[in-house]
Amino acid sequence: MMKSEEYANKVVLVTGASRGIGYAIAEAFARQGYSLVGTATSHAGVEKITALCERYQINGTGLRMDVGSIQSIEEGMALITQDYGAPTILINNAAVVRDNLLLRMREDEWRTVMQTNLDAIYYLSKAVLKGMAKARWGRIVNISSVVARTGHAGQVNYAAAKAGMEGFTRSLASEMASRGITANAVAPGFIQTDMTQSLSELQREAILNNVPLKRLGQPQEVAAAVMFLASSEAAYITGATIPVNGGLMMG
């Protein structure tokens, strides 16, 4: 497969890239020939991403990183810059859930979700902005969720983090527009991943009754929206949140 020199010279960092939506995003960039670093929290996840890079014969690797840890982010960013150069595309995808009703929610369930889903995009975005500003070109795409706007019982922590992510995205877009750097978000609805595979038939039916397209989304459909926002063709889009939810929430 022919690789575009333009793409190969762009370094992409995708967090939480070893499964589900993150893996689909990483594969979409790999297919186009970008230099790719994908993060995971396990050795098996790192190996899976590295194998992806080898399969598509691109510069890249899997990298073990805990996006909830400042030290882990700093160490990881140093390695990426040393081995591949400064990333000019950042996809903040890593996320965790710790669902519970607020009356029963423990402080660690709140804090873990905030650290991974919201604090991490502050540290990671800040870490890549210097290189993007020097290049006068950059793309930051944050993976939000439909629950940022709809809310969901048992997910006050997750919904708050994702809503915060969208506000962060709009403010960052305003700050960095003059440097040729765009910041956008993609907000998936119910996507066919490990999480939705564990749903009972009754739960699945209840979800689909609320989705006008009457099916779950595919990770590749989220990846397609991310790829567009990361491209040069999307240069006039910034501060936006693109819904990929089958019509679950419109407008």
Side-chain angles (χ1 to χ4, degrees):
M1 184 174 65
M2 293 291 292
K3 304 293 185 183
S4 164
E5 186 176 341
E6 176 192 357
Y7 293 161
N9 289 334
K10 285 187 168 64
V11 180
V12 184
L13 173 57
V14 182
T15 66
S18 66
R19 56 191 289 189
I21 291 171
Y23 187 80
I25 293 169
E27 186 171 29
F29 279 110
R31 190 180 295 116
Q32 292 294 326
Y34 286 84
S35 294
L36 170 71
V37 178
T39 78
T41 56
S42 68
H43 180 66
V46 168
E47 287 189 332
K48 184 178 179 182
I49 300 162
T50 301
L52 173 70
C53 295
E54 292 172 350
R55 186 165 83 245
Y56 284 96
Q57 299 180 332
I58 60 167
N59 291 325
T61 189
L63 177 69
R64 194 163 187 173
M65 180 187 288
D66 175 6
V67 299
S69 163
I70 303 171
Q71 181 180 348
S72 182
I73 289 172
E74 289 177 345
E75 291 173 353
M77 290 302 301
L79 287 172
I80 293 167
T81 303
Q82 173 186 296
D83 294 345
Y84 299 97
T88 52
I89 300 174
L90 169 64
I91 314 300
N92 283 307
N93 169 74
V96 296
V97 292
R98 296 290 186 271
D99 293 353
N100 211 341
L101 296 174
L102 182 59
L103 280 170
R104 300 172 186 166
M105 185 173 288
R106 302 189 308 271
E107 185 176 347
D108 67 281
E109 291 173 329
W110 172 270
R111 180 41 46 198
T112 298
V113 168
M114 287 297 165
Q115 285 176 338
T116 302
N117 298 8
L118 187 57
D119 293 357
I121 71 165
Y122 159 73
Y123 293 115
L124 285 160
S125 298
K126 191 173 181 181
V128 300
L129 283 177
K130 188 174 181 180
M132 291 181 178
K134 185 177 181 180
R136 298 199 69 79
W137 193 95
R139 299 285 185 267
I140 295 176
V141 183
N142 299 319
I143 307 304
S144 182
S145 168
V146 67
V147 303
R149 301 194 182 191
T150 64
H152 193 271
Q155 289 192 318
V156 293
N157 48 4
Y158 187 76
K162 293 301 186 180
M165 172 187 279
E166 292 188 12
F168 176 99
T169 301
R170 289 189 290 272
S171 296
L172 180 61
S174 181
E175 289 182 12
M176 302 309 297
S178 64
R179 309 265 182 111
I181 300 166
T182 65
N184 293 288
V186 172
F190 291 102
I191 307 298
Q192 187 76 49
T193 62
D194 293 347
M195 190 181 299
T196 53
Q197 283 176 353
S198 66
L199 294 172
S200 69
E201 199 58 40
L202 193 62
Q203 289 171 318
R204 183 182 291 262
E205 184 179 341
I207 289 169
L208 295 184
N209 282 338
N210 291 316
V211 178
L213 286 179
K214 298 303 177 188
R215 66 175 177 85
L216 299 179
Q218 295 300 312
Q220 293 76 14
E221 292 173 310
V222 181
V226 171
M227 290 297 292
F228 172 66
L229 291 174
S231 71
S232 296
E233 286 78 8
Y236 203 56
I237 301 174
T238 195
T241 297
I242 307 299
V244 184
N245 62 36
L248 180 63
M249 182 182 179
M250 302 185 187

